[in-house]
Every structure is written in structure tokens, then in C-alpha cells.
Amino acid sequence: MVKPGGICPAAASWKAAWGITDIHRMPYFTRLILFLFCLMVLVESRKPKKRRWTGQLETSKPSHLHKKNFDMTKIPNGKPQPLLRVDDHDFTMRPAFGGPAIPVGMDVQVESLDSISEVDMDFTMTLYLRHYWKDERLAFPSTSNKSMTFDGRLVKKIWVPDVFFVHSKRSFIHDTTTDNIMLRVFPDGQVLYSMRITVTAMCNMDFSHFPLDSQTCSLELESYAYTDEDLMLYWKNGDESLKTDEKISLSQFLIQKFHTTSRLAFYSSTGWYNRLYINFTLRRHIFFFLLQTYFPATLMVMLSWVSFWIDRRAVPARVSLGITTVLTMSTIITGVNASMPRVSYIKAVDIYLWVSFVFVFLSVLEYAAVNYLTTVQERKERKLQEKFPCMCGMLPSRTMTLDGSYSESEANSLAGYPRSHILTEEERQDKIVVHLALSNESNSSRKKGLLKGQMGRRIFQNTHAIDKYSRLIFPASYIFFNLIYWSVFA
């Protein structure tokens, strides 16, 4: 660079070569040419030198014509000036400490309803929990009125509401790939605090109508430390504060309704707290239990009726059929109760299964009664045969005379019998007396008995009648029970 009153290095070398001692003595034209020469040398020295090819691609440098974005996070030289003056305040205290209660709005978006457990009586839900409040200590000047968004690292430095889930068994904040926490601060101090949580909470279920039941469960939110005098929880937009994903579905339940409520909760040692409720109603799908429980139980009852059409003398067939149906019903009852909590009251499915079990058991008792009465009748007939070994010589009572004489045609009818089969006069008199006594006894009872008594004796005298009546009574009774059951519980 040419200094004032001086010359460039190229001109100095040229002056030394020509032996010129004073440049001011040179002619004006010569000095002008020398100045132009120095200017050209200076321009040539500032041009970039050409690089030799090295076999590597050269990256293009960004053009100075592009406008650079202003970096708000850049700290100028000197004392650092943070965006939020977090260190200037004590954030262990709530906003407006000592003043009125700070309002904290809430809204929830349910992402999924993962599971419902009847045995543990709880449910698992994944949701986005959002808090809204105003903290003037976080206000910052802004010309564009744009908010600033932060991750979970700033949450540890400022005050946030201490909301927890009442009656929760376990819960956690998702941390893949980082903690799912978002904090958004507006210039006027408004704060949005959002997190993604999975919570398992208790649900008091009533199984008196199981599996034809509907269950209502609640997820309760409450401040742990601040009473209603310090912190006021409320739903930010009423019922619109709760939003659900349309794709939420459960295998056993139909989600009927989601709604929100709020009330005050009192603790004797600490005071009153605001509590928010997320309520949802579930109705159980019945088709699974129809296939797994009701249809098998009904088929077992109908299978037990088959024994009414089997011969009463087929003891192995009827006994094995009855025992099989009883054991199958016991297995169905055990399987249903294994997947249910041990409640102290009767469920709707218990009523159906145990009534079906009673019908199956009564079919076994029915055959026991038939078998017993058959045995008694055969024993009586055997005793009569032992007492009167041969009755072939006796004629019907209507052809007998009191003196034991026979007509000529009756005597001729006995001609074909061997003599050993023909009764003697004394034996004939004994048979006539016994038969007349039985005949007189039956006539007197028939005159004294009513129609109901006659039917009862006819049933006991003919064991086939018990099976005949059972074929009608058992199905009719079971159909009547089903009509009452489904009209009450369905």
C-alpha cells in the first residue's frame, strides 16, 4: 500500500536501478506513469492465486450476498445477558406469592387407552397433559410477540405446578429419544407446560352384571402441596379440554363417553384441594362371552337331556353321560372365575352357570330316581313270583266264580296245558282268595283316591312315565329361566 509522501516497493527498486535520488525532481509525466505502475502492481498482488488440481472437490463458499439470520442465542462480548432472567428470581416460590391463588388451566389429549384389568381392577392410559398459567417473572421484551420454546432442561430451573394423579399405581414420563417435555413461554409471561405420560390408575368396578355390565372409571388430577388458597386448578375449556383420538379401541369394551368434572377434595390434616376428573364409560362386548361361556353351558344342559331318551336299563350309558356333563360344567365355572377378582357378591354369569349346573345335576338325580323305582318294582315282582311260583293256571278275575268253578269253555282252554301246570283245587282256592283280596284293595283305593293320587301311583308304577314327563318339564323350565335372565340383565 502506498503511504502518503512515499513510494511503493516496485517504484523504489526501479528508482535504485536508474540512480534517481529524489523523486520530486522527476517530471510530472514520469511521476504519473510511476504512480499508475504502482497501482497496477498493487491490484495484481491482491488477486487470488490459482490453485493446482489436487484431485479433491472444492466446496463453494457461501456468497456474501445472502442475508444472515440473526442469532438470538449469541451472547455479545462482555457480561452475559440470558434470554430469561431465571437467576434474578426465587423460583422456589409460586407466582404472586402471598397474594391470591394462581389459576392453572388444564387440558388433556388421550392418546391411547392401553388396557383394562378386571383382576387388578385398574386401567392404563397414555395422554398429553398440558398446564397453562402466567408467571410475570418469565416475561421478556419482544417486538414480534413470538413465544420461545424450551425442552425439559428449563423445567428444573423455574416454578411449575405440582400436579399428581390420585389413586395411581404407577406412572412415568416418556423419555425416548429425550424427555417428552415441552415448555413454551410468551412475552407477557404466559406459560404452556406439556408432557407425555403413561399412567396406571385404580378403577372401582362393579361386577354384579358381569359380563353384561358397563364400567365407569376416572383419572383424578390434583395439586400435591398447594391448597385451593394457593393454586386453583380448572379445566381450561370446559368439556372441550378433553380430547381423544378417534382410533382408540379396546378388544373387550366399547368406549361410550368421555367427559370432565371437577370438585373440591378435603384432607383433615392439610385442607381443601381442587381436584379434576377425567371420566369415561365402557360397555363390555358380549359376543366373546356368548361363544366362550353361555353357548357351551347351554349345550351341556341340552346334552344332559339326551339321557331321558336312553333306555332305563342302559345304566353305563346314562351314568357316564350325566357325569360327563357335570364335570364339563364344573370346568366352565372354574375357567370363568379364574379370570375374575374374588368378589364377595354373585355375578350375572354365576347365576347362569350355576342354574345350568343345577339342571345338569337334576338330570343325574332323575335317572337315580328312575333306577331306584325300577329296582323296587322288580324286587316286589320277584317276591310275588317267589311266593306264587306259577300263575299260568289262573284265569282273569272276571271269569272266576267265588266257589272256584270254571265254565265249560274255560275248562276246554286248559286242556292243552300239562297236568303239572294245572292247579289243584286247594291251590286254586288260595289263588282266588289272594287275587280277590288284591282286587278289592285296589277298588277301594281307587274309590277313595283323587285324580292327583292316581297319577302319582301311575308314575311310580310305570317308571317310563318319569322320563316322559322330564322330556317336557326340563326344557320348558330352562327356556323360562333364559327368558327371565336375559330380560333382567340384557
Side-chain angles (χ1 to χ4, degrees), residues 18 113 367 409 422 490:
W18 287 87
L113 195 57
Y367 177 67
S409 61
I422 301 176

Side-chain angles (χ1 to χ4, degrees), residues 144-266:
S144 60
N145 199 26
K146 291 183 178 180
S147 62
M148 293 188 297
T149 303
F150 305 91
D151 57 13
R153 287 173 290 185
L154 183 62
V155 175
K156 300 178 181 179
K157 299 180 181 180
I158 65 173
W159 180 91
V160 293
D162 59 340
V163 176
F164 78 105
F165 297 101
V166 185
H167 305 309
S168 66
K169 297 183 177 180
R170 51 193 173 272
S171 60
F172 62 92
I173 300 175
H174 290 258
D175 55 0
T176 306
T177 56
T178 59
D179 292 341
N180 296 172
I181 297 176
M182 186 269 289
L183 190 71
R184 182 170 295 169
V185 182
F186 294 86
D188 59 349
Q190 294 287 343
V191 181
L192 166 60
Y193 175 42
S194 176
M195 62 183 72
R196 182 167 175 254
I197 302 175
T198 293
V199 57
T200 300
M202 183 181 66
C203 178
N204 294 322
M205 301 182 183
D206 182 15
F207 297 107
S208 58
H209 285 70
F210 177 87
L212 306 168
D213 58 335
S214 296
Q215 303 294 340
T216 300
C217 299
S218 298
L219 183 63
E220 306 173 12
L221 297 89
E222 183 182 304
S223 173
Y224 190 83
Y226 297 99
T227 63
D228 61 338
E229 297 179 355
D230 292 322
L231 189 145
M232 183 181 66
L233 283 179
Y234 68 97
W235 290 113
K236 190 174 186 298
N237 299 314
D239 287 337
E240 299 296 328
S241 301
L242 178 61
K243 298 181 180 180
T244 59
D245 193 344
E246 296 179 355
K247 298 181 180 179
I248 294 178
S249 62
L250 294 171
S251 58
Q252 279 195 42
F253 293 92
L254 173 66
I255 303 176
Q256 289 187 326
K257 184 180 180 183
F258 271 97
H259 65 281
T260 60
T261 55
S262 60
R263 63 168 185 164
L264 288 174
F266 177 73

Side-chain angles (χ1 to χ4, degrees), residues 246-458:
E246 296 179 355
K247 298 181 180 179
I248 294 178
S249 62
L250 294 171
S251 58
Q252 279 195 42
F253 293 92
L254 173 66
I255 303 176
Q256 289 187 326
K257 184 180 180 183
F258 271 97
H259 65 281
T260 60
T261 55
S262 60
R263 63 168 185 164
L264 288 174
F266 177 73
Y267 298 91
S268 58
S269 57
T270 55
W272 294 89
Y273 293 82
N274 293 108
R275 182 177 295 183
L276 305 181
Y277 295 83
I278 303 173
N279 305 310
F280 55 95
T281 303
L282 306 172
R283 183 169 183 82
R284 196 182 305 273
H285 294 298
I286 186 59
F287 189 72
F288 172 81
F289 296 93
L290 287 177
L291 293 179
Q292 299 295 325
T293 303
Y294 287 96
F295 284 167
T298 303
L299 292 177
M300 287 299 105
V301 174
M302 297 174 66
L303 183 62
S304 67
W305 300 339
V306 177
S307 64
F308 302 151
W309 276 266
I310 300 177
D311 189 2
R312 58 179 175 169
R313 289 181 291 272
V315 178
R318 296 189 68 164
V319 170
S320 60
L321 180 61
I323 293 177
T324 301
T325 53
V326 168
L327 293 178
T328 305
M329 284 301 305
S330 301
T331 303
I332 294 175
I333 294 174
T334 304
V336 172
N337 291 330
S339 60
M340 295 295 299
R342 298 179 181 178
V343 295
S344 59
Y345 49 84
I346 298 177
K347 304 181 290 292
V349 68
D350 293 336
I351 297 175
Y352 192 90
L353 292 179
W354 279 104
V355 170
S356 300
F357 182 84
V358 169
F359 271 90
V360 171
F361 188 73
L362 287 178
S363 66
V364 178
L365 294 182
E366 186 271 346
Y367 177 67
V370 170
N371 186 268
Y372 174 76
L373 294 176
T374 302
T375 304
V376 171
Q377 184 179 6
E378 290 178 351
R379 188 181 298 117
K380 289 182 179 180
E381 292 177 356
R382 195 180 304 112
K383 288 182 179 179
L384 288 176
Q385 290 177 0
E386 290 176 356
K387 188 175 182 180
F388 307 105
C390 185
M391 297 289 293
C392 58
M394 293 187 62
L395 296 177
S397 57
R398 61 182 178 85
T399 60
M400 283 188 177
T401 59
L402 292 177
D403 57 357
S405 61
Y406 296 89
S407 62
E408 184 178 357
S409 61
E410 294 168 351
N412 293 332
S413 64
L414 297 175
Y417 286 94
R419 183 168 297 275
S420 60
H421 290 259
I422 301 176
L423 301 177
T424 61
E425 184 69 20
E426 183 177 359
E427 292 175 346
R428 218 173 27 246
Q429 294 293 337
D430 294 337
K431 303 293 184 181
I432 292 171
V433 172
V434 172
H435 190 74
L436 289 176
L438 292 175
S439 178
N440 292 333
E441 183 178 357
S442 62
N443 290 334
S444 61
S445 62
R446 186 158 49 255
K447 291 178 182 179
K448 295 179 181 180
L450 300 174
L451 181 61
K452 183 177 179 180
Q454 293 176 0
M455 185 178 297
R457 282 193 302 273
R458 193 178 303 115

